[in-house]
Amino acid sequence: PAVNRISQFFPQALANTAWALATRLVQNLPLLEAISAQSIAIMGAFGNQNMSNMLWALAALQYFDDPLLDAIAAQAIPKMTAFPVQELVNTSWAIARLNFQHRPLIAALSEAALARMSSYRARDMANTAWSFARLKSVDLNLLEALAQK
């Protein structure tokens, strides 16, 4: 079984496995716990897309794992300005769906969204507005930018 080999998985394989479980709504707790433990162990190797995809999978499964979420936040915050729009939107949606109230991550997402607002499509803006509303984040600059676009 995959759970016995998870220590051999690299970031993309971990994120892809979590994504595959989420697309089929499979909540295999032993496998999710193993994915989480291995992801935390190698979080420094995770790229932007790996983090965004992992968060999306956790949110789709409604699998709230504080240590993994904290590890992703710590890795993502300094890299947030390099996230493409789709990864910003997905990350915002995922943490909102999980109601992950990590203020430094939310602030970094808001700042990165403001910097990229000119590249946001209508759907990106709607999803970002929903995400920040669900997180009860009142960033007037972001709200104004969304309203102006």
Side-chain angles (χ1 to χ4, degrees):
V3 72
N4 295 337
R5 302 174 74 181
I6 220 73
S7 65
Q8 300 169 9
F9 282 34
F10 52 95
Q12 185 176 349
L14 291 164
N16 287 354
T17 303
W19 179 88
L21 292 173
T23 59
R24 297 290 171 232
L25 298 177
V26 174
Q27 286 229 353
N28 181 320
L29 291 181
L31 184 53
L32 287 169
E33 289 167 0
I35 289 169
S36 175
Q38 178 65 4
S39 295
I40 291 167
I42 64 168
M43 185 54 62
F46 269 63
N48 304 345
Q49 187 174 6
N50 305 135
M51 289 183 281
S52 178
N53 289 351
M54 180 66 75
L55 285 169
W56 182 90
L58 297 174
L61 291 170
Q62 287 291 285
Y63 183 72
F64 195 97
D65 183 320
D66 258 329
L68 178 55
L69 292 170
D70 285 338
I72 292 171
Q75 180 74 3
I77 290 169
K79 297 180 175 185
M80 195 62 60
T81 57
F83 275 45
V85 169
Q86 187 63 51
E87 291 166 11
L88 289 172
V89 173
N90 288 352
T91 298
S92 298
W93 176 85
I95 67 166
R97 178 119 194 257
L98 290 167
N99 197 27
F100 182 50
Q101 294 291 330
H102 191 286
R103 290 297 160 199
L105 178 59
I106 294 167
L109 277 165
S110 179
E111 184 179 323
L114 277 167
R116 301 256 168 126
M117 191 57 58
S118 64
S119 300
Y120 273 50
R121 298 167 299 164
R123 183 177 178 177
D124 301 328
M125 292 185 302
N127 286 339
T128 299
W130 176 87
S131 299
F132 280 82
R134 179 163 169 128
L135 289 165
K136 296 177 178 42
S137 175
V138 182
D139 182 328
L140 297 178
N141 291 330
L142 179 60
L143 292 174
E144 183 66 27
L146 287 167
Q148 295 292 327
K149 180 106 165 94

